[in-house]
Amino acid sequence: MKATARRTTVLAGLTATLLAGPLAVAAVAAAPTATITLNGTGATVSGSNVTVAGSAVTITAPGSYEIRGTLNNGYVRVDSAAAGTVELILAGASITNSTSSPLYVTDADAVTVTLAAGTSNTLTDAATYTNAGEPDSALFSAADLTIAGTGALTVRANHADGIVSKDDLVIQSGTITVTAVDDAIRGKDSLTVNGGTINVTSSGGDGLKSNDTEAGKGVLTITNGTITASVADDAIKGENDLNISGGTINVTRSYEALEGLRTTISGGNITVVASDDAVNAAEEGLGHMEPSAIAFIKVTGGTVVATGGTDGFDSNGSLTFAGGTVVARGSSTRGGGEGAIDADGPIAFTGGTVVGAALTSLAVFQAVPNNAQGWVAPRFNANLAANTTVHVVSGSTVLASYRTSATVREVVFSSNRIVNGQRYDIYTGGSVSGTNVGGLYSGGSITGATRVLTGVTAGRYGRF
């Protein structure tokens, strides 16, 4: 029976139960919890709907199952054809499988993995699987998967991926650490992070990912939590949509840090480092510098510090800064078509505070509108070394102060303190004070500084 049909059956059954009266409702809510105690080479069970064959443990029906103890070479499998959710309560469980996956779901309506309070749990898979096809990850689910609870889960994925759902994957809470050969955490249809502390490391793949290309799928959403990633490829990727509205994200190593066809940042505290583009919106199949009609990056809130080896922000389509605070750093060795802020389509500053610094600050192929929020993009007569303080000054008033972290030739500033059409002086040296966001300081002084550019017109850049 397909999941949709099972859900229909569940709803019909629940309606009948509600009509039968409160005693029936209480009976549904009070379903017993089975206990599975792992003992090294096998398991003992208190409760029903669990079969044990040597080191193979199979759960065959919806309900709650508490798993504790150690299984040195075996697996726990969920194979439930009936409608209803299977809850796996990991309460100090350590499962290792030397031939395949230690914990996997072949069939279920939906599965919740609850990390019991105060417990640490570990899943370790084989480097080489003897089975073909699925399962193909340390924690694998063919059904919708939710991870919750306040305990800890460590996943060591020696074969490929760490945690995978072929449908929707939701992380509500818990302390989750994944070390993977390929992707660390992947929800094929969607991946949603609503909380928890997540640390992912990948030696050859992505960090957090939703990879379905079908319309309405391939969506990665982050609303809360702490996420730390060090990966070989993309750190946080939604194949179609990447939406970040909260939480704390720290990407210390990646090829591209944040990527989606449509990338929207409306909140959160984000610091990302990439060897290529730090924040990226890309449409597959387009040629170099060919504008996309559907790709975009939009920042409406939050704090983003993005350091890219190529571009800080790079959109195949449009790029809009409408709120929040953004500090972007691009290449310190390549200019021209690479920069702190790079867009093949239109770019707009309509709100927030933005600083971009690189050899090229704005690698754009269309004129940047000068009829919205003000921006100024000075180009210096020579490269500025790392740790050089740059001030944008109106008369004697310092409007913005930024300290470089690498070699730059251009800097772009945008905020509600800058007015397009007006002229500003640019100083180097002096001092900075107050809060620091990626080198952007809340205060600065030009005492002892040198005026290096006079009368730079806001809203004007390069050949435009």
Side-chain angles (χ1 to χ4, degrees), residues 369-404:
N370 56 17
N371 58 355
Q373 177 168 284
W375 56 274
V376 61
R379 178 176 175 82
F380 301 97
N381 295 322
N383 289 349
L384 302 183
N387 297 315
T388 299
T389 299
V390 179
H391 306 276
V392 179
V393 180
S394 175
S396 60
T397 302
V398 177
L399 303 181
S401 298
Y402 172 72
R403 178 170 286 169
T404 65

Side-chain angles (χ1 to χ4, degrees), residues 69 113 136 206 225 238 292 387 406 432:
V113 173
D136 55 7
D206 300 325
S292 167
N387 297 315
V432 291

Side-chain angles (χ1 to χ4, degrees), residues 74-424:
Y75 61 80
V76 174
R77 175 168 68 111
V78 175
D79 186 8
S80 171
T85 297
V86 176
E87 181 187 24
L88 306 177
I89 304 170
L90 301 185
S94 176
I95 309 171
T96 300
N97 193 338
S98 63
T99 60
S100 186
S101 169
L103 179 58
Y104 62 96
V105 179
T106 55
D107 189 21
D109 208 24
V111 173
T112 296
V113 173
T114 301
L115 307 176
T119 69
S120 296
N121 306 276
T122 304
L123 302 175
T124 306
D125 72 352
T128 302
Y129 282 23
T130 57
N131 61 283
E134 299 169 352
D136 55 7
S137 61
L139 171 50
F140 172 84
S141 178
D144 292 342
L145 175 64
T146 299
I147 300 176
T150 59
L153 173 64
T154 298
V155 177
R156 302 186 181 103
N158 300 304
H159 174 66
D161 298 346
I163 300 174
V164 170
S165 169
K166 288 188 65 179
D167 290 336
D168 299 323
L169 173 57
V170 177
I171 298 176
Q172 295 284 26
S173 56
T175 299
I176 301 168
T177 303
V178 180
T179 303
V181 172
D182 197 10
D183 300 336
I185 301 176
R186 177 163 57 88
K188 183 179 179 183
D189 290 357
S190 71
L191 170 57
T192 302
V193 178
N194 292 324
T197 300
I198 302 170
N199 296 276
V200 297
T201 304
S202 168
S203 59
D206 300 325
L208 279 69
K209 180 178 184 179
S210 180
N211 64 314
D212 200 316
T213 58
E214 185 179 338
K217 298 182 179 180
V219 179
L220 199 163
T221 302
I222 299 172
T223 68
N224 209 338
T226 301
I227 299 172
T228 301
S230 174
V231 301
D233 202 353
D234 299 332
I236 299 174
K237 180 177 182 179
E239 196 69 41
N240 284 322
D241 294 279
L242 173 60
N243 303 308
I244 301 173
S245 60
T248 300
I249 298 172
N250 184 23
V251 176
T252 59
R253 179 179 67 99
S254 68
Y255 178 69
E256 290 182 333
L258 307 180
E259 182 175 10
L261 172 63
R262 296 172 290 265
T263 300
T264 303
I265 300 171
S266 58
N269 190 346
I270 302 165
T271 303
V272 295
V273 175
S275 60
D276 191 26
D277 302 328
V279 182
N280 189 46
E283 180 183 357
E284 296 293 332
L286 293 183
H288 182 57
M289 295 186 295
E290 182 180 354
S292 167
I294 58 175
F296 67 77
I297 299 173
K298 187 172 185 179
V299 181
T300 63
T303 299
V304 184
V305 178
T307 302
T310 302
D311 299 315
F313 277 69
D314 182 13
S315 176
N316 285 170
S318 64
L319 177 53
T320 302
F321 298 100
T325 300
V326 171
V327 178
R329 197 190 87 195
S331 175
S332 59
T333 59
R334 292 179 292 167
E338 319 293 355
I341 297 171
D342 182 358
D344 296 334
I347 182 172
F349 298 105
T350 63
T353 300
V354 181
V355 177
L359 289 189
T360 301
S361 62
L362 290 170
V364 294
F365 302 94
Q366 301 182 29
V368 181
N370 56 17
N371 58 355
Q373 177 168 284
W375 56 274
V376 61
R379 178 176 175 82
F380 301 97
N381 295 322
N383 289 349
L384 302 183
N387 297 315
T388 299
T389 299
V390 179
H391 306 276
V392 179
V393 180
S394 175
S396 60
T397 302
V398 177
L399 303 181
S401 298
Y402 172 72
R403 178 170 286 169
T404 65
S405 57
T407 301
V408 305
R409 187 64 176 268
E410 298 179 1
V411 180
V412 59
F413 296 90
S414 179
S415 78
N416 59 11
R417 304 186 72 187
I418 296 173
V419 179
N420 287 326
Q422 292 193 9
R423 294 177 177 269
Y424 299 93

